[in-house]
Amino acid sequence: MSTRPFLTSIEKKWITFQLLCALHQCHKQKICHGDIKLENILITSWNWILLSDLASFKPTYLPEDNPADYSYFFDTSRRRTCYIAPERFVKTFAPESKDNPIVGDGSCYSGSLSLLPEMDIFSAGCALLELWTEETGTAPFEFSQLLAYRNNGENELVSKHLTSIEDANLRELLTSMLSINPKDRRSAEIYLDMERGRLFPEYFYSFLQSYIPIMFCSIPVMPSDDKILRLHSDIAQIIDIITKEELEDDGLILITTLVTSCIRGLYHCNSKINCLEILQKLALHTTSETILDRILPHILHLAQDVSANVRVAALDTLTSCLCLVKTLPRSDANIFPEYVLPSIASLSTDPATIVRVAYAHNIATLAETAVRYLEQSQLSSGDGPVPNYDMELHDLHEMLSGTVMSLLTDSQSIVKQTLMESGITKLCVFFGSQKGSNGFVKFLFKILNENFLFLLANDIILSHIITFLNNFVHV
């Protein structure tokens, strides 16, 4: 969670929703967890929550004047965080007192009979507060802070964290879960009912909660190829369900995660191509940030697949998705020269002719998109210096000139013909957009010399080349 891609607001809401669902399931079966903290909330690659390490065997009540018991039983990670409900800390009494709730082997110390659902609710509230305020870098409570919150009602610490949360519904939910008085905390079931259609979108309840377990939580485990086949057949309906609510949050990022979590487990060529088709359909409806952070890396992974057909599909999908990016963060200004182009450079000399043809078909559009990204980076706001336009454009020319030359001099005529028919005009503009870019002119002269008969038979291509050369000479 501390590295890119960072969790988005809708992903955190989905985690919050699932945690409340897990608590509702436990409490419905008369089971209390007893030690809810981030370390015991597991998350899968498809953003499914698992609540682990039920701790009903640990003591329910702890002495407030001796942190040793707390450290031994509950601070195993040594993070110094304390998410135990405040009512579980009690004053110590004399050993002979009958009112002593923490001495001996009584039911209070064994814990299993005395844990209450509202204790879990408080601990879950602490974990969720840390999740939603992770940018502050501080946990809600340490041991001494929790005791001060319990004894003196010092709400300043909690209020400081809550004020950084913009969503009013979320603040209201966490405030209730973190109430000092256990009676003020509601059950997980009530919270889920209260926030339906408010904090949590309707499709959490009506669709995702039942759809995901069918494929990802069933026994026996469904193979990744079967999951992609099911998603491929359902994707149009899924997009309709999630986008019809017109919320500010990009809910399709949850579906994107479902798809990308399957990629490394795919074996069949058709499944990988279906996966790329799903990603392209998602890219049409999702945000630029999701395309760059969540979709692009997996397309580039499939671009190195052993199957030539998958590599071809990956190149086509890559070009389409990059064209759909409308806003470019400053942090991604160099995504073409530093990431995209190096990742696919080897495909221009790929052993499979169909892959080289696909590259020839897409390279002009990729070059045009790279210039558009560079122009956007000059206008975008954000941290970091503004890239030097002329220098960055020169680097793009240097990187693509070798690739274009390789395709123009390919041993297969179909590769050269595809390049000429698909993007010669765009490439002329790209290489002619900087003064002194004579390299591409030399390439064209070489092609005219080596492939005169081929070009002569295609007067449309020849006219494009001659027009470009005439314009360049006049300039």
Side-chain angles (χ1 to χ4, degrees):
M1 293 181 354
S2 60
T3 58
R4 293 183 68 178
F6 302 111
L7 289 176
T8 62
S9 175
I10 193 66
E11 288 176 298
K12 292 180 180 180
K13 288 181 181 180
W14 178 231
I15 291 172
T16 303
F17 172 81
Q18 290 182 82
L19 180 57
L20 289 173
C21 287
L23 287 178
H24 173 49
Q25 292 173 6
C26 289
H27 297 163
K28 189 176 181 180
Q29 300 299 324
K30 309 299 182 183
I31 298 172
C32 292
H33 188 285
D35 189 19
I36 295 177
K37 52 191 175 186
L38 291 185
E39 291 87 342
N40 292 337
I41 302 174
L42 310 182
I43 183 168
T44 66
S45 58
W46 58 90
N47 279 345
W48 190 255
I49 292 302
L50 302 172
L51 194 56
S52 68
D53 295 341
L54 274 73
S56 56
F57 62 91
K58 295 183 180 181
T60 301
Y61 298 101
L62 297 165
E64 67 175 15
D65 57 353
N66 183 6
D69 283 359
Y70 166 75
S71 298
Y72 179 79
F73 286 107
F74 297 98
D75 192 23
T76 54
S77 66
R78 297 296 182 262
R79 292 180 61 224
R80 302 175 64 87
T81 56
C82 184
Y83 292 168
I84 302 299
E87 64 269 20
R88 294 177 64 178
F89 290 96
V90 297
K91 298 181 181 296
T92 56
F93 299 91
E96 63 275 7
S97 173
K98 297 181 181 180
D99 299 325
N100 189 350
I102 61 174
V103 173
D105 297 324
S107 61
C108 290
Y109 197 76
S110 66
S112 60
L113 300 178
S114 300
L115 283 171
L116 299 173
E118 52 265 30
M119 296 176 179
D120 282 346
I121 293 295
F122 182 90
S123 299
C126 291
L128 291 174
L129 185 59
E130 183 175 3
L131 171 68
W132 281 94
T133 59
E134 59 180 338
E135 64 277 358
T136 63
T138 58
F141 293 110
E142 292 184 1
F143 181 80
S144 59
Q145 294 170 332
L146 183 65
L147 292 183
Y149 181 64
R150 172 189 180 275
N151 296 329
N152 306 322
E154 294 183 3
N155 295 323
E156 182 179 350
L157 185 64
V158 175
S159 300
K160 182 181 69 174
H161 285 82
L162 289 173
T163 52
S164 64
I165 298 175
E166 297 180 359
D167 193 310
N169 294 324
L170 178 61
R171 285 199 309 271
E172 181 182 342
L173 171 67
L174 294 179
T175 300
S176 176
M177 295 177 71
L178 294 172
S179 297
I180 297 178
N181 187 348
K183 295 181 181 180
D184 293 335
R185 304 173 208 148
R186 297 181 173 91
S187 67
E189 182 181 15
I190 293 177
Y191 285 132
L192 288 170
D193 290 339
M194 286 175 51
E195 300 304 330
R196 185 166 188 165
R198 296 174 73 238
L199 177 61
F200 303 132
E202 175 61 29
Y203 61 80
F204 279 12
Y205 300 81
S206 59
F207 174 63
L208 287 181
Q209 188 181 17
S210 58
Y211 183 80
I212 294 178
I214 295 174
M215 295 184 294
F216 290 86
C217 304
S218 60
I219 298 175
V221 177
M222 184 183 294
S224 295
D225 295 275
D226 292 344
K227 295 176 185 176
I228 290 298
L229 181 63
R230 173 68 181 269
L231 285 166
H232 186 263
S233 64
D234 295 344
I235 191 61
Q237 184 179 2
I238 292 173
I239 292 174
D240 181 64
I241 290 173
I242 293 182
T243 57
K244 70 179 181 180
E245 290 193 45
E246 298 182 355
L247 303 174
E248 294 182 2
D249 296 320
D250 178 23
L252 288 179
I253 197 171
L254 301 175
I255 307 302
T256 302
T257 303
L258 292 182
V259 177
T260 56
S261 69
C262 299
I263 287 179
R264 294 187 182 274
L266 296 176
Y267 289 98
H268 304 308
C269 176
N270 288 340
S271 299
K272 297 173 183 178
I273 294 175
N274 285 340
C275 182
L276 288 166
E277 292 176 0
I278 296 172
L279 292 177
Q280 185 168 351
K281 290 178 181 179
L282 289 170
L284 288 170
H285 299 88
T286 192
T287 64
S288 298
E289 185 178 2
T290 300
I291 295 174
L292 293 173
D293 286 350
R294 309 298 183 103
I295 295 179
L296 177 60
H298 297 279
I299 296 176
L300 292 176
H301 170 74
L302 290 174
Q304 307 302 323
D305 192 77
V306 295
S307 170
N309 290 331
V310 175
R311 297 198 295 275
V312 169
L315 274 173
D316 293 338
T317 306
L318 173 69
T319 304
S320 299
C321 290
L322 288 173
C323 289
L324 294 172
V325 174
K326 304 302 181 184
T327 58
L328 186 71
R330 180 70 59 79
S331 59
D332 292 326
N334 294 325
I335 192 170
F336 261 95
E338 294 182 0
Y339 185 40
V340 175
L341 295 179
S343 298
I344 61 174
S346 62
L347 300 183
S348 64
T349 56
D350 194 276
T353 302
I354 59 173
V355 177
R356 302 198 302 277
V357 169
Y359 203 160
H361 177 74
N362 289 291
I363 190 171
T365 304
L366 288 172
E368 184 180 57
T369 306
V371 173
R372 178 170 64 85
Y373 280 24
L374 180 58
E375 292 171 349
Q376 282 192 12
S377 68
Q378 305 296 302
L379 304 175
S380 62
S381 59
D383 298 331
V386 179
N388 184 287
Y389 183 85
D390 292 334
M391 185 180 299
E392 297 295 332
L393 184 59
H394 175 75
D395 290 342
L396 287 174
H397 285 177
E398 289 293 320
M399 296 188 72
L400 285 175
S401 61
T403 301
V404 174
M405 182 61 180
S406 176
L407 296 172
L408 285 172
T409 57
D410 194 273
S411 59
Q412 299 294 322
S413 297
I414 185 64
V415 177
K416 293 178 281 191
Q417 181 177 351
T418 301
L419 180 65
M420 293 294 182
E421 292 177 346
S422 301
I424 192 64
T425 304
K426 292 179 181 179
L427 288 174
C428 290
V429 173
F430 173 74
F431 284 103
S433 59
Q434 188 177 36
K435 187 177 180 181
S437 297
N438 297 317
F440 192 59
V441 178
K442 296 178 182 178
F443 296 161
L444 292 179
F445 273 121
K446 185 172 182 178
I447 296 304
L448 284 168
N449 182 50
E450 295 181 356
N451 303 276
F452 180 75
L453 294 179
F454 162 71
L455 293 172
L456 190 62
N458 195 326
D459 54 352
I460 296 177
I461 295 176
L462 187 61
S463 64
H464 279 306
I465 296 177
I466 294 174
T467 299
F468 169 72
L469 292 175
N470 286 335
N471 291 339
F472 193 90
V473 171
H474 292 159
V475 173

